Amino acid sequence: MKLDQFLKYQGLVGTGGEAKLRIQRGDVQVNGNIETRRGRQLALGDAVTINGHEVLFMGERPADH
C-alpha cells in the first residue's frame, strides 16, 4: 500500500489531498525518518508517524466483496 493511501485509510488525514500536502511538507515519518514520497510502498511492520501518532503497517486491507 502506498503511504498516502495508508494515511487516508487509517483516518490520519481527511483526504488524499491532505495526505499529499502533509507528506510533501515533511510532517510524516516512516520508521523514524521523514518521508516526502507519497507513493512510497510500505512494507510489513513499517511504523508511520504523523501528529505524534504512530501506526504500524500490517498488510493490505481486505478486498471488498
Short mmCIF file of all heavy atoms in Angstrom, two decimals:
data_model
loop_
_atom_site.label_atom_id
_atom_site.label_comp_id
_atom_site.label_asym_id
_atom_site.label_seq_id
_atom_site.Cartn_x
_atom_site.Cartn_y
_atom_site.Cartn_z
N MET A 1 0.85 -1.17 0.00
CA MET A 1 0.00 0.00 0.00
C MET A 1 0.90 1.24 0.00
O MET A 1 1.94 1.26 0.66
CB MET A 1 -0.90 -0.01 1.24
CG MET A 1 -1.80 1.21 1.34
SD MET A 1 -2.92 1.15 2.78
CE MET A 1 -4.15 0.03 2.16
N LYS A 2 0.48 2.25 -0.72
CA LYS A 2 1.25 3.48 -0.77
C LYS A 2 1.00 4.30 0.49
O LYS A 2 -0.07 4.23 1.11
CB LYS A 2 0.85 4.30 -2.00
CG LYS A 2 1.25 3.63 -3.30
CD LYS A 2 0.86 4.49 -4.47
CE LYS A 2 1.21 3.79 -5.77
NZ LYS A 2 0.78 4.57 -6.93
N LEU A 3 1.99 5.11 0.84
CA LEU A 3 1.95 5.89 2.07
C LEU A 3 0.72 6.80 2.13
O LEU A 3 0.03 6.84 3.14
CB LEU A 3 3.23 6.72 2.20
CG LEU A 3 3.34 7.63 3.40
CD1 LEU A 3 3.20 6.86 4.70
CD2 LEU A 3 4.65 8.40 3.36
N ASP A 4 0.43 7.52 1.05
CA ASP A 4 -0.71 8.44 1.08
C ASP A 4 -2.02 7.69 1.27
O ASP A 4 -2.90 8.12 2.02
CB ASP A 4 -0.75 9.34 -0.15
CG ASP A 4 -0.84 8.61 -1.48
OD1 ASP A 4 -0.63 7.37 -1.53
OD2 ASP A 4 -1.09 9.29 -2.49
N GLN A 5 -2.16 6.52 0.64
CA GLN A 5 -3.36 5.71 0.80
C GLN A 5 -3.50 5.22 2.24
O GLN A 5 -4.60 5.19 2.80
CB GLN A 5 -3.33 4.50 -0.14
CG GLN A 5 -3.38 4.86 -1.61
CD GLN A 5 -3.11 3.66 -2.49
OE1 GLN A 5 -2.41 2.73 -2.11
NE2 GLN A 5 -3.66 3.69 -3.70
N PHE A 6 -2.39 4.82 2.83
CA PHE A 6 -2.40 4.32 4.21
C PHE A 6 -2.85 5.41 5.18
O PHE A 6 -3.66 5.14 6.08
CB PHE A 6 -1.00 3.81 4.58
CG PHE A 6 -0.91 3.26 5.96
CD1 PHE A 6 -1.48 2.05 6.29
CD2 PHE A 6 -0.23 3.95 6.95
CE1 PHE A 6 -1.39 1.53 7.57
CE2 PHE A 6 -0.13 3.44 8.24
CZ PHE A 6 -0.72 2.22 8.55
N LEU A 7 -2.34 6.62 5.01
CA LEU A 7 -2.74 7.73 5.90
C LEU A 7 -4.24 7.95 5.84
O LEU A 7 -4.89 8.14 6.87
CB LEU A 7 -2.00 9.01 5.53
CG LEU A 7 -0.49 9.02 5.78
CD1 LEU A 7 0.11 10.30 5.21
CD2 LEU A 7 -0.17 8.87 7.24
N LYS A 8 -4.78 7.92 4.64
CA LYS A 8 -6.22 8.14 4.48
C LYS A 8 -7.02 6.96 5.04
O LYS A 8 -7.99 7.15 5.77
CB LYS A 8 -6.55 8.36 3.00
CG LYS A 8 -7.97 8.78 2.77
CD LYS A 8 -8.22 9.13 1.32
CE LYS A 8 -9.69 9.42 1.12
NZ LYS A 8 -10.05 9.51 -0.27
N TYR A 9 -6.59 5.74 4.73
CA TYR A 9 -7.29 4.53 5.19
C TYR A 9 -7.33 4.46 6.71
O TYR A 9 -8.32 4.04 7.30
CB TYR A 9 -6.60 3.30 4.60
CG TYR A 9 -7.19 1.99 5.06
CD1 TYR A 9 -8.45 1.60 4.64
CD2 TYR A 9 -6.49 1.15 5.92
CE1 TYR A 9 -9.00 0.40 5.06
CE2 TYR A 9 -7.03 -0.04 6.35
CZ TYR A 9 -8.28 -0.41 5.91
OH TYR A 9 -8.84 -1.60 6.34
N GLN A 10 -6.26 4.89 7.37
CA GLN A 10 -6.19 4.85 8.83
C GLN A 10 -6.91 6.04 9.47
O GLN A 10 -6.98 6.11 10.70
CB GLN A 10 -4.73 4.83 9.29
CG GLN A 10 -4.02 3.54 8.99
CD GLN A 10 -4.58 2.37 9.79
OE1 GLN A 10 -4.94 2.50 10.95
NE2 GLN A 10 -4.68 1.22 9.15
N GLY A 11 -7.39 6.97 8.67
CA GLY A 11 -8.10 8.14 9.22
C GLY A 11 -7.15 9.17 9.82
O GLY A 11 -7.58 10.01 10.61
N LEU A 12 -5.87 9.10 9.46
CA LEU A 12 -4.90 10.06 9.99
C LEU A 12 -4.95 11.39 9.25
O LEU A 12 -4.44 12.39 9.74
CB LEU A 12 -3.49 9.46 9.92
CG LEU A 12 -3.31 8.18 10.74
CD1 LEU A 12 -1.99 7.50 10.41
CD2 LEU A 12 -3.40 8.48 12.23
N VAL A 13 -5.55 11.38 8.06
CA VAL A 13 -5.82 12.60 7.28
C VAL A 13 -7.24 12.48 6.73
O VAL A 13 -7.78 11.38 6.64
CB VAL A 13 -4.82 12.79 6.12
CG1 VAL A 13 -3.41 13.00 6.63
CG2 VAL A 13 -4.87 11.63 5.14
N GLY A 14 -7.82 13.60 6.38
CA GLY A 14 -9.20 13.59 5.90
C GLY A 14 -9.34 13.26 4.43
O GLY A 14 -10.33 12.66 4.02
N THR A 15 -8.36 13.67 3.62
CA THR A 15 -8.46 13.49 2.17
C THR A 15 -7.10 13.10 1.59
O THR A 15 -6.06 13.28 2.24
CB THR A 15 -8.90 14.80 1.49
OG1 THR A 15 -7.87 15.78 1.67
CG2 THR A 15 -10.22 15.31 2.03
N GLY A 16 -7.14 12.63 0.36
CA GLY A 16 -5.90 12.32 -0.34
C GLY A 16 -5.06 13.58 -0.55
O GLY A 16 -3.83 13.53 -0.48
N GLY A 17 -5.73 14.70 -0.80
CA GLY A 17 -5.02 15.97 -0.97
C GLY A 17 -4.29 16.39 0.30
O GLY A 17 -3.17 16.90 0.24
N GLU A 18 -4.93 16.18 1.43
CA GLU A 18 -4.28 16.50 2.71
C GLU A 18 -3.08 15.60 2.92
O GLU A 18 -2.03 16.04 3.38
CB GLU A 18 -5.26 16.36 3.87
CG GLU A 18 -4.63 16.70 5.21
CD GLU A 18 -5.53 16.46 6.41
OE1 GLU A 18 -6.72 16.14 6.23
OE2 GLU A 18 -5.02 16.57 7.53
N ALA A 19 -3.22 14.31 2.57
CA ALA A 19 -2.10 13.37 2.71
C ALA A 19 -0.92 13.85 1.87
O ALA A 19 0.21 13.90 2.36
CB ALA A 19 -2.53 11.97 2.27
N LYS A 20 -1.18 14.23 0.63
CA LYS A 20 -0.12 14.71 -0.26
C LYS A 20 0.59 15.92 0.33
O LYS A 20 1.82 15.97 0.38
CB LYS A 20 -0.73 15.07 -1.62
CG LYS A 20 0.26 15.63 -2.60
CD LYS A 20 -0.44 16.00 -3.90
CE LYS A 20 0.52 16.69 -4.85
NZ LYS A 20 -0.16 17.10 -6.09
N LEU A 21 -0.18 16.88 0.81
CA LEU A 21 0.39 18.10 1.38
C LEU A 21 1.23 17.80 2.62
O LEU A 21 2.36 18.28 2.76
CB LEU A 21 -0.72 19.09 1.75
CG LEU A 21 -0.28 20.38 2.41
CD1 LEU A 21 0.57 21.20 1.45
CD2 LEU A 21 -1.48 21.17 2.87
N ARG A 22 0.69 16.98 3.52
CA ARG A 22 1.40 16.67 4.77
C ARG A 22 2.70 15.91 4.50
O ARG A 22 3.71 16.15 5.14
CB ARG A 22 0.50 15.86 5.70
CG ARG A 22 -0.80 16.52 6.12
CD ARG A 22 -0.62 17.71 7.04
NE ARG A 22 0.07 17.40 8.26
CZ ARG A 22 -0.50 16.95 9.38
NH1 ARG A 22 -1.81 16.78 9.43
NH2 ARG A 22 0.22 16.69 10.43
N ILE A 23 2.68 15.01 3.51
CA ILE A 23 3.89 14.26 3.15
C ILE A 23 4.92 15.20 2.55
O ILE A 23 6.08 15.20 2.96
CB ILE A 23 3.55 13.10 2.20
CG1 ILE A 23 2.70 12.06 2.93
CG2 ILE A 23 4.82 12.47 1.65
CD1 ILE A 23 2.05 11.03 2.02
N GLN A 24 4.50 16.04 1.61
CA GLN A 24 5.42 16.97 0.95
C GLN A 24 6.02 17.96 1.95
O GLN A 24 7.16 18.39 1.79
CB GLN A 24 4.71 17.73 -0.17
CG GLN A 24 4.43 16.87 -1.37
CD GLN A 24 3.66 17.61 -2.45
OE1 GLN A 24 2.98 18.60 -2.19
NE2 GLN A 24 3.75 17.11 -3.67
N ARG A 25 5.26 18.33 2.96
CA ARG A 25 5.72 19.28 3.98
C ARG A 25 6.71 18.66 4.96
O ARG A 25 7.32 19.36 5.77
CB ARG A 25 4.51 19.80 4.77
CG ARG A 25 4.26 21.24 4.60
CD ARG A 25 3.13 21.81 5.39
NE ARG A 25 2.46 21.00 6.37
CZ ARG A 25 1.25 21.27 6.84
NH1 ARG A 25 0.58 22.31 6.40
NH2 ARG A 25 0.70 20.50 7.75
N GLY A 26 6.82 17.34 4.96
CA GLY A 26 7.73 16.67 5.87
C GLY A 26 7.11 16.35 7.22
O GLY A 26 7.83 16.13 8.19
N ASP A 27 5.78 16.30 7.27
CA ASP A 27 5.07 16.02 8.52
C ASP A 27 4.99 14.53 8.85
O ASP A 27 4.52 14.17 9.93
CB ASP A 27 3.63 16.56 8.46
CG ASP A 27 3.57 18.08 8.40
OD1 ASP A 27 4.59 18.74 8.66
OD2 ASP A 27 2.48 18.59 8.08
N VAL A 28 5.38 13.67 7.92
CA VAL A 28 5.20 12.23 8.07
C VAL A 28 6.55 11.53 8.16
O VAL A 28 7.47 11.84 7.40
CB VAL A 28 4.40 11.65 6.87
CG1 VAL A 28 4.19 10.15 7.03
CG2 VAL A 28 3.06 12.37 6.74
N GLN A 29 6.64 10.60 9.10
CA GLN A 29 7.85 9.79 9.24
C GLN A 29 7.51 8.33 9.02
O GLN A 29 6.42 7.87 9.39
CB GLN A 29 8.45 9.93 10.64
CG GLN A 29 8.97 11.31 10.95
CD GLN A 29 9.59 11.37 12.34
OE1 GLN A 29 9.57 10.41 13.10
NE2 GLN A 29 10.14 12.52 12.66
N VAL A 30 8.45 7.62 8.40
CA VAL A 30 8.34 6.17 8.26
C VAL A 30 9.58 5.59 8.92
O VAL A 30 10.71 5.93 8.54
CB VAL A 30 8.23 5.73 6.79
CG1 VAL A 30 8.19 4.21 6.69
CG2 VAL A 30 6.99 6.34 6.13
N ASN A 31 9.37 4.77 9.93
CA ASN A 31 10.47 4.16 10.69
C ASN A 31 11.44 5.21 11.23
O ASN A 31 12.66 5.03 11.22
CB ASN A 31 11.20 3.13 9.84
CG ASN A 31 10.29 2.01 9.39
OD1 ASN A 31 9.39 1.61 10.12
ND2 ASN A 31 10.49 1.52 8.20
N GLY A 32 10.88 6.35 11.68
CA GLY A 32 11.68 7.39 12.31
C GLY A 32 12.34 8.37 11.37
O GLY A 32 13.00 9.31 11.81
N ASN A 33 12.18 8.17 10.05
CA ASN A 33 12.78 9.06 9.07
C ASN A 33 11.70 9.83 8.32
O ASN A 33 10.69 9.24 7.92
CB ASN A 33 13.61 8.26 8.05
CG ASN A 33 14.74 7.52 8.72
OD1 ASN A 33 15.50 8.09 9.49
ND2 ASN A 33 14.83 6.23 8.45
N ILE A 34 11.91 11.13 8.10
CA ILE A 34 10.95 11.93 7.35
C ILE A 34 10.85 11.36 5.94
O ILE A 34 11.85 11.08 5.29
CB ILE A 34 11.39 13.41 7.31
CG1 ILE A 34 11.30 14.01 8.71
CG2 ILE A 34 10.52 14.19 6.32
CD1 ILE A 34 11.85 15.42 8.82
N GLU A 35 9.61 11.19 5.48
CA GLU A 35 9.36 10.63 4.15
C GLU A 35 8.56 11.65 3.34
O GLU A 35 7.51 12.09 3.77
CB GLU A 35 8.58 9.32 4.26
CG GLU A 35 8.27 8.66 2.95
CD GLU A 35 9.52 8.36 2.13
OE1 GLU A 35 10.29 7.48 2.53
OE2 GLU A 35 9.72 9.04 1.10
N THR A 36 9.10 12.04 2.19
CA THR A 36 8.43 13.05 1.35
C THR A 36 7.90 12.46 0.05
O THR A 36 7.40 13.20 -0.80
CB THR A 36 9.40 14.21 1.02
OG1 THR A 36 10.56 13.68 0.38
CG2 THR A 36 9.79 14.96 2.29
N ARG A 37 7.96 11.14 -0.09
CA ARG A 37 7.43 10.49 -1.30
C ARG A 37 6.06 9.89 -0.97
O ARG A 37 5.98 8.90 -0.24
CB ARG A 37 8.36 9.38 -1.78
CG ARG A 37 9.74 9.86 -2.18
CD ARG A 37 10.67 8.70 -2.41
NE ARG A 37 10.88 7.99 -1.15
CZ ARG A 37 11.35 6.75 -1.06
NH1 ARG A 37 11.66 6.08 -2.13
NH2 ARG A 37 11.53 6.19 0.12
N ARG A 38 5.01 10.48 -1.51
CA ARG A 38 3.67 9.98 -1.17
C ARG A 38 3.41 8.60 -1.74
O ARG A 38 2.60 7.85 -1.23
CB ARG A 38 2.61 10.97 -1.63
CG ARG A 38 2.47 11.03 -3.13
CD ARG A 38 1.40 12.01 -3.52
NE ARG A 38 1.17 11.88 -4.96
CZ ARG A 38 0.14 12.35 -5.57
NH1 ARG A 38 -0.78 12.99 -4.92
NH2 ARG A 38 0.00 12.20 -6.86
N GLY A 39 4.12 8.22 -2.81
CA GLY A 39 3.93 6.91 -3.42
C GLY A 39 4.81 5.83 -2.84
O GLY A 39 4.84 4.72 -3.36
N ARG A 40 5.50 6.13 -1.73
CA ARG A 40 6.38 5.14 -1.12
C ARG A 40 5.58 3.91 -0.74
O ARG A 40 4.56 3.99 -0.07
CB ARG A 40 7.03 5.71 0.14
CG ARG A 40 8.01 4.73 0.79
CD ARG A 40 8.28 5.16 2.22
NE ARG A 40 9.46 4.56 2.80
CZ ARG A 40 9.46 3.38 3.40
NH1 ARG A 40 8.37 2.67 3.50
NH2 ARG A 40 10.57 2.91 3.93
N GLN A 41 6.04 2.75 -1.17
CA GLN A 41 5.37 1.50 -0.83
C GLN A 41 5.77 1.09 0.59
O GLN A 41 6.95 1.04 0.91
CB GLN A 41 5.77 0.39 -1.82
CG GLN A 41 5.17 0.56 -3.19
CD GLN A 41 3.68 0.31 -3.22
OE1 GLN A 41 3.13 -0.45 -2.42
NE2 GLN A 41 3.01 0.96 -4.14
N LEU A 42 4.79 0.81 1.40
CA LEU A 42 5.04 0.39 2.77
C LEU A 42 5.29 -1.11 2.82
O LEU A 42 4.68 -1.88 2.08
CB LEU A 42 3.86 0.76 3.67
CG LEU A 42 3.60 2.25 3.82
CD1 LEU A 42 2.31 2.49 4.60
CD2 LEU A 42 4.77 2.95 4.48
N ALA A 43 6.19 -1.51 3.70
CA ALA A 43 6.48 -2.92 3.93
C ALA A 43 5.88 -3.33 5.27
O ALA A 43 5.66 -2.49 6.15
CB ALA A 43 7.99 -3.14 3.94
N LEU A 44 5.63 -4.61 5.43
CA LEU A 44 5.07 -5.11 6.69
C LEU A 44 5.91 -4.64 7.87
O LEU A 44 7.14 -4.73 7.83
CB LEU A 44 5.02 -6.63 6.69
CG LEU A 44 3.93 -7.28 5.86
CD1 LEU A 44 4.07 -8.79 5.89
CD2 LEU A 44 2.56 -6.87 6.35
N GLY A 45 5.25 -4.12 8.88
CA GLY A 45 5.93 -3.68 10.09
C GLY A 45 6.44 -2.25 10.06
O GLY A 45 6.96 -1.78 11.07
N ASP A 46 6.31 -1.56 8.91
CA ASP A 46 6.73 -0.15 8.86
C ASP A 46 5.92 0.66 9.87
O ASP A 46 4.70 0.48 9.99
CB ASP A 46 6.53 0.45 7.47
CG ASP A 46 7.66 0.14 6.51
OD1 ASP A 46 8.72 -0.36 6.95
OD2 ASP A 46 7.48 0.41 5.30
N ALA A 47 6.59 1.54 10.59
CA ALA A 47 5.95 2.43 11.57
C ALA A 47 5.77 3.79 10.93
O ALA A 47 6.75 4.45 10.57
CB ALA A 47 6.79 2.53 12.83
N VAL A 48 4.52 4.22 10.78
CA VAL A 48 4.20 5.52 10.18
C VAL A 48 3.77 6.46 11.30
O VAL A 48 2.88 6.12 12.08
CB VAL A 48 3.08 5.37 9.12
CG1 VAL A 48 2.69 6.72 8.55
CG2 VAL A 48 3.51 4.41 8.02
N THR A 49 4.39 7.63 11.36
CA THR A 49 4.10 8.60 12.42
C THR A 49 3.68 9.92 11.80
O THR A 49 4.33 10.43 10.89
CB THR A 49 5.34 8.83 13.31
OG1 THR A 49 5.80 7.57 13.80
CG2 THR A 49 5.00 9.73 14.48
N ILE A 50 2.57 10.47 12.32
CA ILE A 50 2.08 11.79 11.94
C ILE A 50 1.35 12.37 13.15
O ILE A 50 0.63 11.64 13.84
CB ILE A 50 1.17 11.74 10.69
CG1 ILE A 50 0.76 13.15 10.24
CG2 ILE A 50 -0.03 10.86 10.92
CD1 ILE A 50 0.04 13.19 8.91
N ASN A 51 1.58 13.63 13.44
CA ASN A 51 0.94 14.29 14.59
C ASN A 51 1.20 13.56 15.90
O ASN A 51 0.34 13.53 16.78
CB ASN A 51 -0.57 14.42 14.40
CG ASN A 51 -0.95 15.31 13.25
OD1 ASN A 51 -0.17 16.16 12.82
ND2 ASN A 51 -2.14 15.13 12.73
N GLY A 52 2.34 12.92 16.02
CA GLY A 52 2.66 12.20 17.25
C GLY A 52 1.98 10.86 17.38
O GLY A 52 2.15 10.16 18.39
N HIS A 53 1.21 10.46 16.37
CA HIS A 53 0.53 9.15 16.37
C HIS A 53 1.33 8.19 15.50
O HIS A 53 1.62 8.49 14.35
CB HIS A 53 -0.90 9.25 15.82
CG HIS A 53 -1.79 10.13 16.61
ND1 HIS A 53 -2.25 9.79 17.86
CD2 HIS A 53 -2.30 11.34 16.34
CE1 HIS A 53 -3.01 10.77 18.31
NE2 HIS A 53 -3.06 11.72 17.41
N GLU A 54 1.67 7.04 16.06
CA GLU A 54 2.39 6.02 15.30
C GLU A 54 1.46 4.85 15.03
O GLU A 54 0.78 4.36 15.93
CB GLU A 54 3.61 5.52 16.07
CG GLU A 54 4.41 4.50 15.30
CD GLU A 54 5.65 4.05 16.05
OE1 GLU A 54 6.66 4.79 16.00
OE2 GLU A 54 5.59 3.00 16.72
N VAL A 55 1.43 4.43 13.76
CA VAL A 55 0.60 3.29 13.35
C VAL A 55 1.48 2.34 12.57
O VAL A 55 2.23 2.75 11.69
CB VAL A 55 -0.60 3.75 12.48
CG1 VAL A 55 -1.46 2.56 12.09
CG2 VAL A 55 -1.43 4.80 13.20
N LEU A 56 1.39 1.05 12.89
CA LEU A 56 2.18 0.05 12.17
C LEU A 56 1.41 -0.45 10.96
O LEU A 56 0.20 -0.70 11.04
CB LEU A 56 2.49 -1.14 13.08
CG LEU A 56 3.41 -0.88 14.25
CD1 LEU A 56 3.59 -2.15 15.07
CD2 LEU A 56 4.76 -0.34 13.80
N PHE A 57 2.12 -0.61 9.85
CA PHE A 57 1.51 -1.18 8.65
C PHE A 57 1.59 -2.70 8.76
O PHE A 57 2.67 -3.27 8.83
CB PHE A 57 2.25 -0.69 7.39
CG PHE A 57 1.72 -1.31 6.12
CD1 PHE A 57 0.46 -1.01 5.69
CD2 PHE A 57 2.50 -2.18 5.39
CE1 PHE A 57 -0.04 -1.57 4.52
CE2 PHE A 57 2.02 -2.75 4.23
CZ PHE A 57 0.74 -2.44 3.79
N MET A 58 0.43 -3.33 8.76
CA MET A 58 0.38 -4.78 8.96
C MET A 58 -0.14 -5.51 7.72
O MET A 58 -0.57 -6.65 7.82
CB MET A 58 -0.50 -5.11 10.17
CG MET A 58 0.03 -4.52 11.47
SD MET A 58 1.76 -4.86 11.81
CE MET A 58 1.71 -6.61 12.09
N GLY A 59 -0.12 -4.87 6.58
CA GLY A 59 -0.52 -5.52 5.34
C GLY A 59 -1.67 -4.81 4.67
O GLY A 59 -2.26 -3.89 5.21
N GLU A 60 -1.95 -5.24 3.47
CA GLU A 60 -3.03 -4.64 2.68
C GLU A 60 -4.37 -4.85 3.36
O GLU A 60 -4.58 -5.87 4.02
CB GLU A 60 -3.08 -5.28 1.28
CG GLU A 60 -1.82 -5.07 0.47
CD GLU A 60 -1.64 -3.65 -0.05
OE1 GLU A 60 -2.64 -2.93 -0.21
OE2 GLU A 60 -0.50 -3.27 -0.29
N ARG A 61 -5.26 -3.91 3.13
CA ARG A 61 -6.61 -4.07 3.68
C ARG A 61 -7.33 -5.16 2.91
O ARG A 61 -7.03 -5.41 1.73
CB ARG A 61 -7.36 -2.76 3.63
CG ARG A 61 -7.65 -2.29 2.22
CD ARG A 61 -8.49 -1.02 2.29
NE ARG A 61 -8.83 -0.61 0.95
CZ ARG A 61 -8.53 0.55 0.41
NH1 ARG A 61 -7.87 1.45 1.10
NH2 ARG A 61 -8.90 0.85 -0.81
N PRO A 62 -8.28 -5.82 3.52
CA PRO A 62 -9.00 -6.88 2.82
C PRO A 62 -9.78 -6.30 1.65
O PRO A 62 -10.31 -5.19 1.73
CB PRO A 62 -9.96 -7.44 3.88
CG PRO A 62 -9.63 -6.77 5.16
CD PRO A 62 -8.69 -5.65 4.88
N ALA A 63 -9.88 -7.06 0.59
CA ALA A 63 -10.65 -6.63 -0.58
C ALA A 63 -12.14 -6.68 -0.23
O ALA A 63 -12.61 -7.56 0.47
CB ALA A 63 -10.36 -7.55 -1.76
N ASP A 64 -12.88 -5.69 -0.74
CA ASP A 64 -14.34 -5.67 -0.55
C ASP A 64 -14.98 -6.64 -1.54
O ASP A 64 -14.66 -6.64 -2.71
CB ASP A 64 -14.90 -4.27 -0.78
CG ASP A 64 -14.40 -3.28 0.26
OD1 ASP A 64 -13.99 -3.70 1.35
OD2 ASP A 64 -14.42 -2.07 -0.05
N HIS A 65 -15.86 -7.48 -1.04
CA HIS A 65 -16.52 -8.46 -1.92
C HIS A 65 -17.99 -8.13 -2.01
O HIS A 65 -18.64 -7.80 -1.13
CB HIS A 65 -16.36 -9.88 -1.39
CG HIS A 65 -14.94 -10.35 -1.45
ND1 HIS A 65 -14.32 -10.64 -2.63
CD2 HIS A 65 -14.02 -10.53 -0.48
CE1 HIS A 65 -13.07 -11.03 -2.37
NE2 HIS A 65 -12.87 -10.96 -1.06
#
